[in-house]
Amino acid sequence: QVQVVESGGGLVQAGGSLRLSCTTSGLNFDDYGMGWFRQAPGKEREGVSCISWRGGGRSGGRTYYADSVKDRFAVSRDNAKNTLYLQIDSLKPEDTAMYYCAGAYWGYDYCSRSGKDYIYWGQGTQVTVSS
């Protein structure tokens, strides 16, 4: 019933850009905090960014960015489309990873930096950055 599907990954040269999308269904998307995570082989899962439900079309809200990406990545959401986005600019080879979208409900305007706090996950979309 619940589906979370990432798309938009690909092979890009360093310095290029990508726009990742996460489409959801069977989920009360506008009530959920959403996050982007990434994981490369042999490395720990990293919380890239997250955005609270209020970040989608309402005033206020909260977002989080890992230090490694905060000047280059931008998270957004369109609650009417049940879709989460991640705009990635100035890609670096170290950005190469599988990128995952995740969602969870907290009952207030919040998003977590920890993947353990999320319930629903997509299958991921691969981002590969060449030097």
Side-chain angles (χ1 to χ4, degrees):
Q1 183 176 359
V2 175
Q3 293 186 342
V4 180
V5 182
E6 302 93 338
S7 63
L11 175 62
V12 184
Q13 292 186 4
S17 298
L18 285 172
R19 181 177 170 86
L20 307 185
S21 297
C22 171
T23 59
T24 68
S25 62
L27 176 70
N28 293 325
F29 184 79
D30 59 352
D31 290 335
Y32 273 61
M34 302 294 297
W36 285 102
F37 297 83
R38 67 184 182 185
Q39 187 167 24
K43 297 183 179 180
E44 296 181 358
R45 181 179 60 197
E46 178 185 17
V48 175
S49 181
C50 72
I51 183 169
S52 67
W53 61 264
R54 193 176 293 275
R58 300 195 184 197
S59 299
R62 60 186 294 161
T63 59
Y64 166 78
Y65 296 95
D67 289 341
S68 59
V69 308
K70 62 183 178 182
D71 293 329
R72 301 180 294 113
F73 289 22
V75 65
S76 61
R77 63 191 295 165
D78 187 338
N79 288 346
K81 296 181 179 180
N82 298 326
T83 301
L84 178 74
Y85 302 98
L86 186 68
Q87 178 68 40
I88 310 176
D89 296 325
S90 301
L91 279 159
K92 302 176 180 179
E94 52 262 43
D95 295 320
T96 296
M98 184 72 75
Y99 284 71
Y100 298 93
C101 171
Y105 174 79
W106 287 278
Y108 62 103
D109 194 52
Y110 176 77
C111 70
S112 175
R113 304 177 183 181
S114 174
K116 296 181 179 180
D117 294 332
Y118 288 86
I119 300 172
Y120 299 110
W121 292 81
Q123 296 299 309
T125 184
Q126 178 68 39
V127 173
T128 303
V129 184
S130 63
S131 60

